[in-house]
Amino acid sequence: MAQDTTIRPSSKIVQKILNKYEIRCVFCEQVFRVEHIDEHERDCRVPKCSNPLCRVVLNPSKQRRVPKNAGYACSEVCKLATMFQGELAATEKSPPLATFDKFLRAVKLESDSQGLSHLVESSSPPEVLSMANSGSAGGMHPALYGINEFVWDTETASPSVMFFAENRVALLNDAAFVYKNVFGSVGFMGGSQYWEIIIDSMTQNELKVGVSKERSKTGEGAFCDGVGGYAYYGLGELRHGENTVSVKYGKKFRKSGIIGVYLNMDQGTLSFSLNGESFGPAFKDKELEKGPIYPAVALLRVSGIILVTGKPIPAYFNS
């Protein structure tokens, strides 16, 4: 008589016991409880950007292969971020700054030998970048309404700041305890704008993220110290026209995080989010209805940021 080898469903008691255990996903190798692993793996098998700070679903026609079998990235910025993450993992005993310096020198060496355009392709349409990088004779950038494709402006930034990836990555390694600013290449004249600032783990001091009504010539001294500057400070505070007086806002951030910046010039409001959590309007001011208004970040000592533009405004800002 043949033996019955059918695997019968476990009892509820056994199932409850199993659900307390954890198992590793075969796709991303993250650990989940048994009761959640099936649902996770169904979603995880969809190809996503290898950059853990991004993880958007990949467009096969635009994805970029990351060297050393590190998967695929949705953009050159995410490709570089993933490559650097691999360098960090491979050199655990080295300080992050030393590893980052080595990585950047390797990237620069490759760009010098092959040309930066070969190494880094912009994810923005050429006509948008052309408009963003060119101003009128008086230095005023074209009026932009609802178009937030831009890069960092190297002309008005502090000379201490280094730029990479089509001026979307800004890095500072400076001994002086003085804030160094970077400003957007366009001044918004109206409408609603949204962009994100990804903070690199090399960052050692709190940043100030926001907008400015003007761009200083030296790029030094936090932009929000003046009356035309509005910022979300990494200490969980707001700064506007002051460097000591503050208002509590949001949560603290320093070595990591994605800062969402939402400027609504129709309502004169500036709002922020941290890792997808919105904190509501930080500022409401008639001056925020008048352009030009430039995206701005104040960096201190050892800092690194990645600029992300062109994304739709998250629904939580309008709820």
Side-chain angles (χ1 to χ4, degrees):
M1 184 175 180
Q3 184 179 0
D4 184 2
T5 57
T6 304
I7 300 176
R8 304 185 186 284
S10 61
S11 68
K12 290 183 179 180
I13 295 177
V14 174
Q15 189 65 49
K16 286 182 180 180
I17 295 174
L18 288 175
N19 285 343
K20 293 181 180 180
Y21 288 89
E22 294 182 332
I23 190 171
R24 194 177 300 276
C25 171
V26 297
F27 300 105
C28 67
E29 296 191 349
Q30 294 186 59
V31 175
F32 294 87
R33 292 178 62 173
V34 170
E35 61 183 318
H36 299 141
I37 192 67
D38 285 341
E39 180 181 356
H40 167 77
E41 288 189 342
R42 281 195 298 271
D43 175 67
C44 193
R45 63 166 52 97
V46 178
K48 297 181 180 69
C49 178
S50 295
N51 180 1
L53 295 175
C54 179
R55 299 299 291 165
V56 301
V57 175
L58 290 171
N59 181 336
S61 64
K62 296 183 179 180
Q63 67 185 24
R64 294 156 170 81
R65 184 169 186 81
V66 182
K68 299 182 181 179
N69 297 318
Y72 291 85
C74 66
S75 67
E76 285 295 326
V77 171
C78 283
K79 175 182 173 181
L80 289 174
T82 306
M83 290 167 61
F84 177 59
Q85 182 190 36
E87 290 292 329
L88 277 179
T91 54
E92 293 180 352
K93 295 182 180 180
S94 299
L97 180 58
T99 304
F100 199 57
D101 180 77
K102 178 183 177 182
F103 172 75
L104 289 178
R105 292 178 188 278
V107 169
K108 188 176 187 303
L109 181 63
E110 183 175 351
S111 66
D112 288 344
S113 63
Q114 300 184 16
L116 186 60
S117 61
H118 175 84
L119 176 66
V120 181
E121 298 174 355
S122 170
S123 59
S124 304
E127 64 273 13
V128 173
L129 280 181
S130 175
M131 178 175 64
N133 286 318
S134 62
S136 62
M140 181 68 72
H141 291 279
L144 297 183
Y145 294 86
I147 303 175
N148 64 355
E149 291 283 1
F150 62 92
V151 294
W152 295 125
D153 181 26
T154 60
E155 296 298 320
T156 55
S158 167
S160 303
V161 180
M162 300 178 292
F163 295 93
F164 300 88
E166 296 277 336
N167 297 336
R168 294 179 183 277
V169 176
L171 307 171
L172 176 67
N173 183 9
D174 190 42
F177 207 85
V178 177
Y179 273 99
K180 307 296 173 67
N181 300 314
V182 292
F183 299 97
S185 58
V186 297
F188 300 126
M189 300 302 293
S192 295
Q193 315 292 341
Y194 175 76
W195 61 97
E196 294 177 348
I197 304 297
I198 300 176
I199 303 171
D200 190 88
S201 60
M202 69 175 284
T203 303
Q204 297 181 4
N205 297 91
E206 288 79 9
L207 307 180
K208 299 178 180 181
V209 179
V211 301
S212 178
K213 299 278 291 181
E214 59 184 21
R215 297 185 290 188
S216 65
K217 299 300 182 183
T218 62
E220 299 192 356
F223 67 91
C224 51
D225 290 352
V227 294
Y230 304 77
Y232 174 21
Y233 184 23
L235 290 177
E237 300 173 352
L238 297 178
R239 288 287 194 268
H240 170 49
E242 269 284 355
N243 62 3
T244 55
V245 179
S246 63
V247 176
K248 295 295 182 182
Y249 178 85
K251 296 180 178 179
K252 295 181 180 181
F253 63 89
R254 185 176 63 173
K255 296 178 69 67
S256 64
I258 302 176
I259 309 298
V261 187
Y262 174 46
L263 173 65
N264 186 329
M265 296 183 68
D266 296 327
Q267 298 179 5
T269 59
L270 180 64
S271 306
F272 299 93
S273 65
L274 175 61
N275 297 328
E277 180 182 357
S278 174
F279 304 121
F283 300 98
K284 184 173 177 60
D285 193 329
K286 286 289 185 182
E287 289 301 312
L288 291 174
E289 298 177 9
K290 310 169 188 176
I293 296 178
Y294 301 93
V297 177
L299 308 170
L300 184 61
R301 300 191 70 182
V302 180
S303 309
I305 56 173
I306 299 173
L307 171 66
V308 179
T309 64
K311 299 180 72 172
I313 298 171
Y316 51 69
F317 279 120
N318 296 313
S319 60

